[in-house]
Structures are given as structure tokens and as C-alpha cells.
Amino acid sequence: MTQNAPPDAPASQVPAWRRALIYGLLALFAGWCALAFRRDIAQIDLAPLKAGWVAVVAAGVLSLLNYALRVVRWRLYLKQLGHVLPWRFVSLTFMSGFAFTLSPGKVGEVVRGRYYLPHGISLSSVTGAFFVERLLDLLVMIMLASAVLAELKQYQFFLWVALALVGGLLAGIALVPWADVSARLAQQPHGGLLKLVQKVAAMLASARQFLSPGVLLMGLALGVVAWAAEAIGLKLVADVVTPDLLSIPAAMGVYSIAIIVGALSFLPGGLGSTETVMAALLVTHGYSTPQAILLTLVCRLLTLWLAVLIGWLCVWLLRDENNKAVQARYV
């Protein structure tokens, strides 16, 4: 029997109290940072950024290139699932997930899966693709970080942990017959925990199809270029503050190590941990503390917060698709 939902039924969203808690904590953290580093912040000189605004814009364009390449990869994954969808729809739905980047581990980005339900793409297929995408991004960060691994020994532990995590998960996806596991669990009486395990198994079974050599290597190559672009953006902005103090390999190492530590912290968007590590690494490369704070803030503005802004714009542009997705859940 089908159940009809009213056209304006709200889509599943993060509860208001949780959003208020998250943003409240972010506001407290920002206040703490301003208080703790008030002397350094007072010494921040914005004059170099005004003079070098072209480089700042170029860094922003490189961030847009990052998003575009990841859209290409996402469309490749959808094609692997047997669905060739219009570029505009794929671009908007993929980037709509950026609105939820501030969720731990970016898992909130899987909400984009609701837009694919009316097109016959299951949530387990979308989460499987997202899971592989996250693993490949972490692997790319490890590859970029290796450029400065020898000179940043204090962060080698995080890299080995990340490498072990990625290697173990990829091996688990490839070697375990998750489709059989999911089918057997589906035949069992479903309790709450068992149902969750069955959904995870279905997701991992779906993820396995993205590990074929061609799809895996293409996804990895697109990820390397995409994330290297944002690291080069950091290099461009750093040269505005002090020319030639940060090399391209060093910029890749600083950026990727900060992102890895932020990811392993499992804080929303890596906030706090990513900025702390990035600023500390920039200081080790010769920048003063005020300069390092300025570069970190600009980098995060052009990467994290630009993505969040674009994400919410895409959510608004997809409002009609959202109504279709809500109705698809009730039919």
C-alpha cells in the first residue's frame, strides 16, 4: 500500500537544537581563539592581501577547480552505477553536500542521496560512492603530505594512522563478500542493531564496484589534481605575504597534513584542529605567528567556507528536486 505525502512535507533535516549546539560551540571556539591570540590578531597586516588581491582571487578559482574535478569524479561514479544524469543536476546535487561539510567526518554530505531517490538510485549506492570518495581523498592527502614527511617527523604518526585506516578499509571492501553478508542479514529478524549492520553491509557491497582498476585510478588521479589545486592556492596567498618562503611541495605538505589531522579529530569540518596545525606548520616554515594566522584564515575562507556557501546556494537551487525526493520517500 502506498502512502502519499503532502507536496510541501519537509525533508529530513538536522534537528534545530543540534544545529544550534554546533554553531554555538563554533562561536565559543571562535571567541576563545580571538581571546587567546588577541595580541597576534592585533598584529595581522591586511595590506599585503589588498596589494595581492589577484593572487587571492586565483586561489579562489583553484578551489572552484577542485569542486569541478570532484563533480567529474562523482558523475563517473554515478555512471558506474548505470545512471547517466545531466551535468547541471549532478553538479548541483554533489555540491549541495558541501552545505553539511561541518558535520563530523563530513558524513552529513550523504544527504545529497535524497535527490537521487526519484531517479532510482538507492541510498546504499550513494553512500557507497561517498565512502570510496572519502577514502580516496584521504589517500590523496597522504600522498601530498609525503612531500614533506622527512622534515615534519612530529606528524608522521598521523600519516601512518591514516594510511593504515585507508589500507585496512580498502582491503576490507575488496576481500569481504559484502553482498552475501547483506543478503543473509536481510533474511534475519530485524532488530535495530541488526538492521543498521545490514545497511552498512549493503553500502560496502555497493562501494566494491568503485574499486575496479579503471574507476579506482581515474578517481585517484582526479583527486590528486583537485586537492593539489587547493594546496597551490595556499602557495599563491603565502607568496603575497612573503614571496618564495613556501615552496609548492611544502604548501602541499602543510595543507594536506592539516586536513588529515582535522579529519582524524572527527570535529565538525576539522574546525580548530586543522587551523591549529596549519598555523603551526606555517610558523615552522618561517612565517611569524600573525602571518600564519592570516594565511590560515584566508585559506580556510577560500576552501571550507566558500564550499559551505556554494553548498547552501545549491540546496536552494534544488528546492524543487527536494520536494520530489520527499514524495519519493512516501510512495
Side-chain angles (χ1 to χ4, degrees), residues 88 92 95-96 99-100 114-115 308-323:
R88 180 182 182 277
L92 291 177
M95 291 188 294
S96 69
F100 305 94
R114 67 190 181 191
Y115 297 117
V308 172
L309 177 62
I310 291 175
W312 282 112
L313 175 61
C314 291
V315 169
W316 183 79
L317 292 174
L318 287 166
R319 59 194 183 280
D320 291 336
E321 292 291 337
N322 185 57
N323 290 334

Side-chain angles (χ1 to χ4, degrees), residues 99-122:
F100 305 94
T101 295
L102 295 181
S103 57
K106 298 186 178 182
V107 294
E109 291 190 20
V110 299
V111 298
R112 69 169 72 109
R114 67 190 181 191
Y115 297 117
Y116 298 106
L117 293 176
H119 298 272
I121 305 177
S122 66

Side-chain angles (χ1 to χ4, degrees), residues 16 39 56 73 150 163 169 191 200 220 224 246 249 261 281 291 303:
R39 293 182 181 177
V56 176
R73 182 174 61 181
L163 184 60
L169 289 173
V200 172
L220 187 62
V224 168
L246 192 68
V261 174
L281 291 176
Q291 289 176 331
T303 54

Side-chain angles (χ1 to χ4, degrees), residues 76-133:
L76 173 68
Y77 289 167
L78 293 177
K79 185 177 180 181
Q80 184 71 8
L81 291 171
H83 298 270
V84 180
L85 300 174
W87 277 105
R88 180 182 182 277
F89 177 76
V90 174
S91 300
L92 291 177
T93 51
F94 176 78
M95 291 188 294
S96 69
F98 294 169
F100 305 94
T101 295
L102 295 181
S103 57
K106 298 186 178 182
V107 294
E109 291 190 20
V110 299
V111 298
R112 69 169 72 109
R114 67 190 181 191
Y115 297 117
Y116 298 106
L117 293 176
H119 298 272
I121 305 177
S122 66
L123 185 59
S124 62
S125 296
V126 174
T127 54
F130 173 80
F131 188 68
V132 172
E133 181 198 28

